[in-house]
Amino acid sequence: MPLLRFDVIEGRDEKSLQLLLDTAHKAMVEAFGVPERDRYQIVHQHPANELMIQDTGLGFQRTKDLVIISITSKTRTESQKEKLYALLAEKLEAECGISPEDLMVSITENGDADWSFGLGEAQFLNGKL
């Protein structure tokens, strides 16, 4: 936990997708302090015409390399979130060649009762996590 969903325009090869996921995970470990094996990632690939992501008046020039990361997580501090945004932009550009203008991140917070990792249990509530 956290759970990351990546929405991208279809066409990336398996190696590029794996690098994207690995790089995002490194940023998550560093910014949120999650354990290395605390990794939950899902990729959704879309035809270009199914993603309309404009710039909210900020002047961004989006390209086919657009990456939208939706994160569901327990509550994090503003500082942790800002660190994550900066690390994602920095690392994805350096390691994957993705421009910071092609990155959009959204975080939705929830609580302990909102997670079950299997076995029909709420592990944060029953003390297993």
Side-chain angles (χ1 to χ4, degrees), residues 12-105:
R12 286 180 164 90
D13 61 38
E14 186 175 335
K15 184 178 176 182
S16 296
L17 284 172
Q18 189 61 56
L19 183 59
L20 170 65
L21 298 178
D22 291 347
T23 303
H25 185 65
K26 288 178 200 171
M28 183 66 59
V29 169
E30 187 174 338
F32 283 7
V34 300
E36 193 66 38
R37 285 190 41 88
D38 193 0
R39 186 171 179 172
Y40 303 92
Q41 300 172 315
I42 301 167
V43 175
H44 301 275
Q45 296 189 64
H46 307 272
N49 67 322
E50 290 184 6
L51 286 178
M52 181 60 63
I53 307 299
Q54 296 181 336
D55 67 7
T56 314
L58 298 171
F60 298 155
Q61 297 298 311
R62 308 283 194 190
T63 73
K64 64 175 180 48
D65 294 330
L66 177 68
V67 176
I68 304 154
I69 304 175
S70 303
I71 301 170
T72 304
S73 175
K74 293 171 66 174
T75 301
R76 306 293 172 166
T77 66
E78 286 183 10
S79 176
Q80 286 175 308
K81 292 174 188 178
E82 289 178 326
K83 183 175 183 177
L84 177 64
Y85 302 149
L87 285 171
L88 284 168
E90 173 188 315
K91 291 179 181 296
L92 290 177
E93 183 173 37
E95 298 181 31
C96 303
I98 298 169
S99 167
E101 289 188 355
D102 275 328
L103 175 63
M104 181 176 167
V105 181

